[in-house]
Amino acid sequence: GVYAYCFDSPTLDVLDLGGARATSSDFYSPDDTASVWQSVTVAETELSRDLFRRVSEADAECLSDAYLELLEPVAETGQFSDIGVDVTPMEVNSGADETVAYRMAITASTPEGDSRAEAYLLFLRNDGLVSYVQLVSELPVLAVDVELLADVVVGRMERAL
């Protein structure tokens, strides 16, 4: 996947840890400016700890390049040009045993003008559950709202245990 070579493992699939897995459909905001997608996987504790070690050590520049590569087909449609991706680590306080978060700024030019979107990638581990959450928004998102989303996910994980 897009993360494999950034996580020091050519075969690592962060969404398939070998256990039961559930994913959500995209949830959209009422004005269609934001969407949220989530995956939860049951994993052995040692495997989930290894995953989080790799995720926390990932190089943000590598992730930026990987996502830019992922967006190449979008550029080939001709609707967007000069696509840029900048991934930076961010601190997110949550009640999870471990949390790793990245903020991704995506810029592009369109015939109508410049466009910008933000994505927040959250990796949460709580006991035997691992969750990956992706929040994409056309508008800036406050850090407190990203933490609120993390808290909601952790609450759901705790109820599932």
Side-chain angles (χ1 to χ4, degrees), residues 72-116:
E72 280 180 7
V74 174
E76 292 171 1
T77 67
Q79 294 177 308
F80 298 94
S81 61
D82 299 324
I83 296 176
V85 177
D86 181 36
V87 176
T88 54
M90 67 182 288
E91 290 291 322
V92 173
N93 296 316
S94 75
D97 294 339
E98 291 183 83
T99 302
V100 177
Y102 295 97
R103 178 186 165 276
M104 179 170 46
I106 305 164
T107 55
S109 295
T110 70
E112 293 80 35
D114 292 338
S115 179
R116 180 179 174 85

Side-chain angles (χ1 to χ4, degrees), residues 35 48 61 80-81 95 100 105 107 119 132 146 153 156-157 160-161:
S35 67
S48 67
E61 186 175 338
F80 298 94
S81 61
V100 177
T107 55
Y132 168 66
V146 175
V153 170
R156 290 178 179 164
M157 293 168 74
L161 290 173

